[in-house]
């Protein structure tokens, strides 16, 4: 058997493969075909048998290769038009097979002197007319070998011309997971389709590129072709009008050269990139608008010590980094600089969001718990400027941004409070937006720990952080005011955001789906319209100057009086300033349910 068949595609019992070797195998008789299966788990090795390597596979999986006998029957290949008719006109019969001359077709058939209808011709004409109107054609998995139904394709101008006559209006064509291996076979099909814009060749295995130009195609899909990046870039250069390229699942670990400047949308999902710096050549694309590296192995911005010397263009507004291996907030801090034009980001399903909001050494008052979806959303949003308008498919509202930034600012305050003043510059270097946020909102209260003689940190006994407030949270479950009560001791250094996060976990409520209303020790007459005449303590006045006063319209224990209730609005201020005693009761009032936006 000739070695010229190396590189050709075969299908055995519905399983696609590529011939990588023809010849003998030591210790056996006769010739063998060494094949690489598209489904890598189907084989038994990578081209090596008893210590001798006979061929190499493109797949990096160790079980992609097998040996099969040349006599093993393979599935019958199809021509393009055979696959088209099978998919879209299964009852179609080629008129040339009927052995009826054109004159006979036009001549009416007479039986006993009466004209009768030509049997089956109307159905054939109808199906032919339908094929001519096809605009989107999906022929994936139909074992197409090319213009002709043969592994050994020869140029046939008449057969190619029939494609143009049969389906001239195709704008989208899917030839994925087929028997195509030569680019010329693809070109001979596409060259007949003058309106073709979108071409999908996923799952094929191609040989060397020919010097061919694919006119008109603007969108190309090369998923799971196992082409390396140089080969992908070379193919893209043969499509002069290309604006959208998909090259997912190709084992790519680095971008080694730029693409044509016409590219605006680039999808490189499920590859093996480990850093943003591996994509640096893409920053040279002046018109790039959307980039997706979803489902890769990215966990760092730069995988070496060399300074970052690239920046993506302002045109790049949409980035998808979801389902990678990002574990550090420092990674997110660098994204606004690397992607200055970013308005849309997707970054969910990274291990970063399985961590607590602060290290255990800072939140030592209670066990560390993974951040909630709402906390993850806020802590991500707050690291980006206002130019970011969409996060994980959720449009960012002004209130979303202000709540997120104040919450983030409060956590920075907690981190500073748990460290010494000498450590402050190092900590603030990990929060590049701190100064900006302090100008927008109130600077967080910082209550630093005292260093003991042994060198360990202790909380000053007279500080707000040292006081634990026992709070009873009451959630009414129905109109009969049957309530569920949960009691929790909370450090006075907690702010409202942290209290809400705790309540969210206690009752299983979304963080933005409820309000907290505190019953104070003060009493007000039911008929009172305002509380301007109340004598406030000076220490409370400052703490409550931003709180909304709520006067409930129900009876109190004393006739005509009710307890004053104050809503704990979102703020970075420590709750320890609100409670003079060591106990407090807070009513949880459920609002309109909030639907989390941090899911995949």
């Amino acid at each position: 058997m000739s070695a010229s068949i190396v590189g050709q595609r075969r299908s055995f019992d519905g399983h696609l493969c590529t011939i990588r070797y023809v010849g003998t195998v030591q210790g056996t008789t006769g010739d063998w075909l060494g094949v690489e299966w598209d489904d890598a788990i189907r084989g038994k090795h990578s081209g090596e048998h008893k210590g001798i390597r006979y061929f190499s596979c493109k797949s990096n999986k160790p079980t992609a290769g097998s040996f099969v006998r040349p006599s093993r029957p393979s599935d019958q290949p199809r021509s393009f038009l055979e696959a088209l008719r099978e998919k879209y006109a299964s009852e179609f019969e080629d008129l040339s097979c009927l052995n009826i001359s054109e004159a006979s077709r036009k001549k009416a058939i007479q039986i006993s002197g009466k004209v009768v209808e030509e049997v089956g011709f109307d159905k054939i004409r109808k199906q032919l007319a339908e094929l001519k109107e096809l605009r989107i054609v999906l022929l994936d998995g139909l074992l197409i070998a090319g213009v002709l139904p043969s592994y050994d394709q020869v140029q046939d101008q008449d057969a190619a011309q029939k494609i143009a006559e049969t389906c001239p209006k195709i704008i989208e064509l899917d030839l994925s997971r087929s028997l195509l291996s030569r680019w010329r076979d693809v070109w001979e099909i596409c060259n007949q389709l003058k309106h073709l814009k979108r071409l999908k060749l996923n799952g094929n295995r191609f040989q060397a590129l020919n010097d061919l130009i694919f006119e008109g195609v603007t969108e190309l899909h090369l998923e799971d072709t196992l082409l390396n990046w140089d080969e992908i870039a070379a193919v893209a250069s043969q499509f002069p009008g290309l604006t959208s390229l998909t090259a997912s699942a190709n084992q790519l670990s680095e971008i080694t050269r730029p693409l044509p400047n016409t590219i605006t949308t680039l999808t490189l999902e499920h590859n093996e990139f480990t850093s943003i710096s591996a994509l640096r050549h893409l920053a040279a694309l002046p018109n790039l608008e959307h980039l997706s590296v979803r489902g890769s192995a990215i966990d760092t911005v730069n995988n070496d010590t060399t300074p970052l010397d690239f920046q993506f263009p302002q045109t790049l507004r949409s980035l998808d980094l979801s389902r990678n291996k990002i574990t550090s907030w420092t990674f997110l801090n660098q994204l606004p600089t690397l992607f200055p034009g970013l308005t849309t980001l997707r970054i969910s399903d990274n291990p970063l969001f399985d961590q607590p909001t602060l290290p255990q050494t800072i939140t030592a008052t209670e066990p560390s718990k993974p951040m909630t979806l709402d906390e993850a959303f806020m802590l991500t949003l707050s690291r980006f400027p206002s130019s970011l308008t969409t996060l994980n498919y959720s449009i960012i509202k002004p209130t979303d941004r202000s709540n997120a930034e104040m919450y983030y600012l409060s956590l920075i305050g907690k981190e500073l409070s748990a460290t010494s003043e000498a450590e402050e510059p190092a900590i603030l270097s990990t929060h590049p937006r701190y100064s900006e946020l302090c100008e927008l909102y109130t600077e967080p209260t910082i209550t630093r720990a005292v260093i003991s003689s042994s060198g360990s940190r202790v909380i000053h006994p007279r500080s707000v952080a040292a006081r634990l407030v026992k709070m009873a949270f009451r959630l009414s479950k129905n109109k009969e005011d049957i309530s569920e009560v949960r009691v929790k001791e909370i450090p006075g250094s907690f702010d409202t955001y942290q209290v809400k996060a705790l309540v969210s976990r206690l009752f299983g409520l979304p963080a933005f789906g409820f309000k907290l209303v505190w019953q104070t020790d003060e009493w007000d007459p039911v008929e009172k319209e305002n509380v301007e005449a109340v004598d406030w303590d000076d220490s409370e006045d400052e703490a409550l100057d931003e709180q909304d006063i709520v006067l409930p319209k129900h009876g109190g224990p004393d006739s005509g009086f009710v307890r004053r209730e104050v809503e704990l609005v979102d703020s970075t201020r420590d709750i320890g300033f609100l409670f003079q005693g060591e106990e407090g009761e807070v009513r949880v009032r459920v609002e309109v349910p909030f639907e989390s936006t941090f899911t995949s």
Side-chain angles (χ1 to χ4, degrees), residues 369-390:
K369 296 180 181 179
M371 67 187 75
T372 65
L373 294 177
D374 299 333
E375 289 171 333
F377 180 83
M378 290 191 293
L379 291 178
T380 301
L381 169 59
S382 57
R383 282 169 165 79
F384 291 86
S386 58
S387 55
L388 187 72
T389 57
T390 305

Side-chain angles (χ1 to χ4, degrees), residues 4 70 101 121 144-145 149 169 186 298 458 481 485 492 510 512 542 550 574 582 593:
S4 63
S101 67
F121 281 1
I144 297 172
K169 296 185 179 181
V186 178
I298 295 175
V458 296
D481 202 29
V485 179
F512 295 132
E542 181 181 358
V550 181
D574 293 343
E582 295 182 352

Side-chain angles (χ1 to χ4, degrees), residues 258-294:
L259 289 169
N261 290 342
T262 55
I263 299 293
T264 61
T265 299
L266 184 58
T267 304
L268 302 174
E269 299 174 354
H270 305 293
N271 279 296
E272 298 175 2
F273 305 113
T274 60
S275 68
I276 298 296
S277 62
L279 311 172
R280 65 172 67 237
H281 283 295
L282 300 179
L285 298 177
N287 300 305
L288 186 60
E289 298 175 1
H290 172 75
L291 173 63
S292 177
V293 285
R294 182 175 188 264

Side-chain angles (χ1 to χ4, degrees), residues 196-221:
L196 183 64
K197 298 296 181 183
R198 292 186 292 276
L199 176 61
K200 297 182 178 181
L201 300 171
N202 305 327
N204 287 294
R205 301 288 186 267
F206 290 103
Q207 301 177 30
L209 178 67
N210 305 103
D211 189 15
L212 303 167
I213 301 298
F214 290 76
E215 299 284 355
V217 175
T218 60
E219 182 178 326
L220 177 63
H221 293 252

Side-chain angles (χ1 to χ4, degrees), residues 468-486:
L468 291 177
V469 180
K470 182 182 290 186
M471 300 185 71
F473 299 100
R474 183 179 301 276
L475 174 65
S476 296
K477 289 194 166 184
N478 49 42
K479 294 181 180 180
E480 287 72 29
D481 202 29
I482 297 177
S483 302
E484 179 181 356
V485 179
R486 298 289 181 89

Side-chain angles (χ1 to χ4, degrees), residues 88 125-134:
Y88 294 97
R125 292 191 186 100
K126 180 180 178 182
Q127 292 180 343
L128 278 172
E130 291 175 349
L131 292 178
K132 286 181 180 294
E133 296 301 318
L134 285 174

